[in-house]
Amino acid sequence: MFDPLGALTDAFTSFLFGKVETTRLPVRTSTGQAQAVYLPTAAPGLGDSGVIIGREVYSGKGYIYDPFQLYGQQLPAPHWLVLGESGNGKSALEKTYVLRQLRFRDRQVVVLDAQGEDGVGEWNLIAQELGITPIRLDPTAALNGGIRLNPLDPSITTTGQLALLRTIIEVAMGHGLDERSGFALKVAHATVLSEFGSAEGNGTLTNRQPVLTDIVEQLRHPEAESAEAMNVDIDDVRAWGLDVALVLDRLVDGDLRGMFDGPTSAGIDLDSPLIVFDLSHIDRNSIAMPILMAIVGVWLEHTWIRPDRKKRIFLVEEAWHIINSPFVAQLFQRLLKFGRRLGLSFVAVVHHLSDVVDGAAAREAAAILKMASTRTIYAQKADEARATGRVLGLPRWAVEIIPTLTPGIAVWDVNGNVQVVKHLITEAERPLVYTDRAMTEASSTLTDEALAIERAADAEAEARAEALAMERQLRDESSETVA
């Protein structure tokens, strides 16, 4: 119905003030583009229960992560892979994470410390602060009463002992045992256990543990009964076990002697909240390192991991020694599978993913990577970042930002929840996690002004990374909408 009074009013208002209403065409867009209007909006975090890592770069919220709290609904497995080139903050992250986890009473941590500085492992400072003596595996020290780990320790089951012996030999030889060599080893092991009592504790005939020397002796001089049982000649059994004996002899009388050819040293406190195995005196590029890790891993599996409702973290530096060896990887793959039922979180620290996915144990490496539901990636070169993104299934924006990351900032992928996180270190933690003193001794005497400049530079670099990531994310979403 026509309203003469309203029309008169509109005409008078337009005469005095001009036309005030405009007509706009509707705008058609997507939710991916429209979300740019709400810049403060960020993806949900991982909850507020667990260990604080730092803060999310985009939202500024605190970033809290704990595999034991997330396991189940948000995490299918509690295992964690940390990647990145040296000098970007991997070591600092691991150490602060362990220190913060140890504030919970039901946590225990074992660290295989394969890197050293000033003649000791880089976890030495933290161990001293907590009043803990690292277990230093050193061939020279072992000869003078140092630490020994016995692969034939009665606490390890018979099956576990034989599997460990096979792994040691296969790693050293670089190939699997054939049936005849495997038979000779099995016979020697069974004979030794029958003389000293089985690993399950069915009584002993002597007052000492069986040791590798006993296995080597049986391989050199096999019992006639073992040959007769298989209807073969005793000389054949001796010949089949010769190569096996030579490999084990390296642990008994070679360059690794002293560490594994005697009873397990007393005084190793398996109830300590932190156990550090210092492997820094072992050549990281020698065959000794994966052998060491295999022995330590199996020994811990049978002595440390128990159904006592404790949450355990097994952190391995230079983990490519494990993942890149098919035989060691198989042992740890079994440990990871069974460890989930017993509250074990395995943390593997690797510089480059190509170190493992292109190696001899590609299949085993893929299986272990699949079980690592948490992946933290620090700065890498562009080619390496693209390869990492393909293997781990990272979104394109995350792959593009990895080469631009500054030290202390990483891409976190927690079962598909991808965030960019700034790791924060407290002043109390800084002296304990600082591992490059030899290169930067003057850093301890920085003035307040220099520290302020350093922090301002970090903030500027962080802002640049945030802006670049946001720009690329919006561009990717826009192109996906058009497509």
Side-chain angles (χ1 to χ4, degrees):
M1 182 181 294
F2 178 73
D3 183 6
L5 181 60
L8 181 63
T9 301
D10 289 342
F12 180 74
T13 302
S14 299
F15 175 76
L16 290 179
F17 304 106
K19 191 69 174 177
V20 295
E21 292 185 2
T22 61
T23 302
R24 300 182 62 182
L25 295 174
V27 177
R28 297 183 181 276
T29 184
S30 68
T31 55
Q33 292 171 318
Q35 71 178 357
V37 178
Y38 304 98
L39 293 179
T41 302
L46 302 175
D48 57 2
S49 180
V51 172
I52 187 165
I53 300 296
R55 63 181 179 84
E56 297 173 19
V57 170
Y58 297 157
S59 68
K61 296 186 301 183
Y63 191 79
I64 297 174
Y65 169 78
D66 192 302
F68 306 110
Q69 297 291 334
L70 298 174
Y71 179 65
Q73 294 184 346
Q74 292 178 270
L75 269 185
H79 309 307
W80 179 16
L81 175 69
V82 183
L83 291 167
E85 296 184 353
S86 299
N88 283 286
K90 298 192 308 296
S91 179
L93 172 66
E94 302 153 25
K95 291 172 182 173
T96 56
Y97 174 75
V98 167
L99 287 170
R100 296 167 190 178
Q101 282 282 4
L102 289 177
R103 297 183 68 86
F104 296 96
R105 294 182 178 179
D106 64 339
R107 306 292 159 90
Q108 277 192 308
V109 182
V110 162
V111 176
L112 299 192
D113 183 5
Q115 303 192 66
E117 184 181 25
D118 300 334
V120 295
E122 65 172 40
W123 284 77
N124 191 63
L125 283 176
I126 291 178
Q128 287 182 345
E129 182 70 15
L130 299 178
I132 294 167
T133 301
I135 301 170
R136 184 164 294 118
L137 292 174
D138 181 356
T140 303
L143 294 175
N144 298 316
I147 297 295
R148 283 189 175 92
L149 294 179
N150 185 12
L152 300 177
D153 193 310
S155 61
I156 302 176
T157 63
T158 300
T159 303
Q161 289 180 10
L162 187 57
L164 180 53
L165 289 172
R166 287 185 65 100
T167 299
I168 292 171
I169 296 162
E170 289 171 339
V171 170
M173 296 176 68
H175 59 78
L177 283 179
D178 59 35
E179 293 298 327
R180 295 181 176 184
S181 297
F183 172 75
L185 176 64
K186 180 180 177 181
V187 166
H189 179 245
T191 303
V192 169
L193 290 190
S194 67
E195 292 180 356
F196 288 86
S198 71
E200 280 73 22
N202 297 331
T204 60
L205 300 180
T206 68
N207 294 322
R208 69 172 178 86
Q209 296 179 5
V211 294
L212 286 180
T213 305
D214 301 314
I215 299 290
V216 173
E217 186 65 21
Q218 280 298 324
L219 288 168
R220 288 172 173 167
H221 307 287
E223 299 287 340
E225 291 80 2
S226 60
E228 294 172 358
M230 293 296 293
N231 196 26
V232 294
D233 190 85
I234 189 66
D235 292 332
D236 290 336
V237 177
R238 185 180 299 107
W240 297 345
L242 180 59
D243 288 342
V244 176
L246 292 174
V247 171
L248 291 180
D249 187 64
R250 181 179 179 185
L251 301 180
V252 173
D253 197 28
D255 53 350
L256 296 179
R257 66 188 184 279
M259 291 189 293
F260 310 111
D261 57 337
T264 300
S265 300
I268 298 178
D269 185 7
L270 293 176
D271 294 320
S272 173
L274 175 65
I275 303 172
V276 177
F277 286 89
D278 184 351
L279 313 180
S280 61
H281 287 259
I282 308 298
D283 183 0
R284 283 184 283 174
N285 296 316
S286 74
I287 197 65
M289 187 62 77
I291 291 176
L292 263 173
M293 289 188 171
I295 292 176
V296 172
V298 174
W299 185 77
L300 288 171
E301 178 185 2
H302 292 274
T303 59
W304 178 60
I305 301 175
R306 292 164 284 183
D308 55 5
R309 304 185 69 83
K310 281 186 178 288
K311 307 295 189 297
R312 291 179 167 86
I313 299 169
F314 189 8
L315 190 151
V316 181
E317 302 263 15
E318 301 286 339
W320 66 272
H321 288 295
I322 289 174
I323 305 176
N324 205 34
S325 169
F327 314 108
V328 182
Q330 288 170 9
L331 280 178
F332 274 80
Q333 188 177 346
R334 186 189 74 245
L335 176 62
L336 267 60
K337 285 181 179 179
F338 295 135
R340 286 188 293 181
R341 297 183 311 193
L342 301 174
L344 175 69
S345 173
F346 177 67
V347 184
V349 184
V350 181
H351 288 287
H352 304 290
L353 200 57
S354 59
D355 291 342
V356 294
V357 297
D358 298 331
R363 185 178 61 182
E364 292 81 2
I368 291 178
L369 291 176
K370 187 176 181 180
M371 286 189 282
S373 301
T374 302
R375 288 80 73 91
T376 301
I377 304 96
Y378 282 90
Q380 295 179 331
K381 292 182 175 63
D383 292 344
E384 186 73 26
R386 285 192 291 270
T388 299
R390 285 195 300 271
V391 173
L392 300 183
L394 297 175
R396 186 167 62 182
W397 69 266
V399 173
E400 291 187 358
I401 198 177
I402 288 173
T404 71
L405 296 174
T406 55
I409 301 179
V411 171
W412 282 67
D413 177 8
V414 182
N415 196 32
N417 185 320
V418 183
Q419 304 279 359
V420 181
V421 180
K422 169 73 173 179
H423 175 220
L424 298 180
I425 305 173
T426 67
E427 293 301 321
E429 292 170 333
R430 190 173 298 276
L432 299 177
V433 304
Y434 194 57
T435 60
D436 55 353
R437 296 188 306 275
M439 294 295 293
T440 56
E441 291 180 351
S443 296
S444 60
T445 59
L446 287 177
T447 63
D448 292 340
E449 180 181 359
L451 285 172
I453 294 173
E454 180 182 340
R455 288 167 182 161
D458 285 344
E460 182 181 356
E462 184 178 329
R464 287 200 307 270
E466 179 180 354
L468 179 61
M470 183 63 70
E471 177 186 346
R472 288 176 173 169
Q473 184 176 5
L474 293 176
R475 186 183 66 209
D476 291 346
E477 291 166 348
S478 176
S479 61
E480 290 170 2
T481 302
V482 171

